[in-house]
Amino acid sequence: MLHPREQKWGMIQVFTGNGKGKTTTALGTVIRAVAKQKRVAIIYFDKGGENHYSEREFIRARISEIDLFPTGLDRIDPITNAFRFGVTAEDQKEGERGLCIVRDLFEKNKHQLIVLDEINSSTHLGIIKEAVVLDVLDQRPPHIELILTGRDAPQSFKDRADLVTEMMLVKHYFYRGIAAREGLDY
Ligand code: ATP
Ligand code: MG
């Protein structure tokens, strides 16, 4: 058996379920990878708009080992703050753009860890096609570790994965009427 430090990268991790902690778990793993001199890319699916994600500006300004690729339209209305539900052709176009970025990063093979944030939920919602995602996953260079986050991970993603964690909702202050808190939830 290999020493833990020699065990190879290149597995697929899936964080899904309806409890909080999927994206933040991915970000925690990213910090560990950077601490060990790895290069990381995060592709955000269906998460456009720059005002709702505190970590992005910080990462761009301070952590040069991480490359960020947000895709998707902004779902939050800048004036009313209302969330837009549903899937449009524009959402799907943005999803396809996200997958193109992933293919491109695989080809360049510069990163050791790639996070596909909200790829599970985006697939479930029909923003991107399950078969196309599977095809992209199959094209990855063998040593790139992948983290797939988002609710409702398709069974086929879980089947491909080496690690699957289902965040289970036990309690969330949201259901007491407390909205997302800056610096903690976004
Ligand atoms: P986080 O980014 O905090 O790790 P997440 O990735 O697990 O959350 P998402 O489905 O991406 O969860 O939800 C994004 C936002 O919704 C976050 O602000 C998160 O705190 C909040 N949230 C997560 N789970 C729930 C839940 N079960 N009910 C209500 N809000 C939730
Ligand atoms: Mg998330």
Side-chain angles (χ1 to χ4, degrees):
M1 178 140 169
L2 288 171
H3 186 278
R5 277 199 299 275
E6 295 164 342
Q7 275 167 13
K8 66 177 172 114
W9 287 43
M11 301 210 186
I12 298 181
Q13 309 184 20
V14 170
F15 296 106
T16 191
N18 60 1
K20 174 181 162 71
K22 301 172 287 291
T23 297
T24 44
T25 297
L27 290 172
T29 309
V30 164
I31 296 296
R32 283 192 175 152
V34 170
K36 289 293 154 193
Q37 290 77 47
K38 308 292 185 190
R39 282 206 70 84
V40 179
I42 307 176
I43 297 98
Y44 296 94
F45 286 87
D46 196 35
K47 257 190 175 174
E50 283 299 310
N51 302 325
H52 329 296
Y53 311 105
S54 308
E55 65 267 17
R56 285 190 194 169
E57 215 179 293
F58 173 81
I59 288 172
R60 284 202 187 97
R62 310 271 283 273
I63 317 182
S64 59
E65 296 89 337
I66 305 177
D67 294 313
L68 297 186
F69 302 92
T71 72
L73 305 173
D74 194 342
R75 285 191 174 265
I76 299 168
D77 188 292
I79 296 154
T80 63
N81 249 354
F83 188 87
R84 176 180 63 87
F85 289 93
V87 174
T88 66
E90 280 78 32
D91 293 321
Q92 290 170 328
K93 221 171 127 192
E94 276 294 288
E96 186 45 52
R97 186 170 74 84
L99 291 176
C100 282
I101 294 170
V102 180
R103 282 193 200 95
D104 187 51
L105 292 179
F106 285 172
E107 236 164 71
K108 294 198 168 100
N109 203 0
K110 254 180 37 188
H111 300 88
Q112 289 79 51
L113 171 62
I114 298 184
V115 176
L116 307 175
D117 190 44
E118 302 300 342
I119 195 165
N120 302 331
S121 32
S122 297
T123 307
H124 177 77
L125 291 169
I127 292 169
I128 44 183
K129 289 201 175 77
E130 185 173 336
V132 178
V133 176
L134 290 173
D135 191 52
V136 171
L137 293 183
D138 287 343
Q139 288 168 30
R140 82 186 195 289
H143 297 295
I144 297 183
E145 187 90 6
L146 288 184
I147 298 182
L148 281 52
T149 83
R151 294 160 192 237
D152 304 308
Q155 186 56 46
S156 61
F157 293 9
K158 298 183 195 172
D159 292 343
R160 285 283 202 295
D162 302 280
L163 178 155
V164 180
T165 297
E166 190 105 24
M167 308 302 183
M168 185 183 72
L169 172 66
V170 178
K171 254 190 197 183
H172 196 304
Y173 39 75
F174 174 79
Y175 300 99
R176 280 202 284 127
I178 295 168
R181 298 174 301 158
E182 189 177 70
L184 293 167
D185 295 312
Y186 66 96

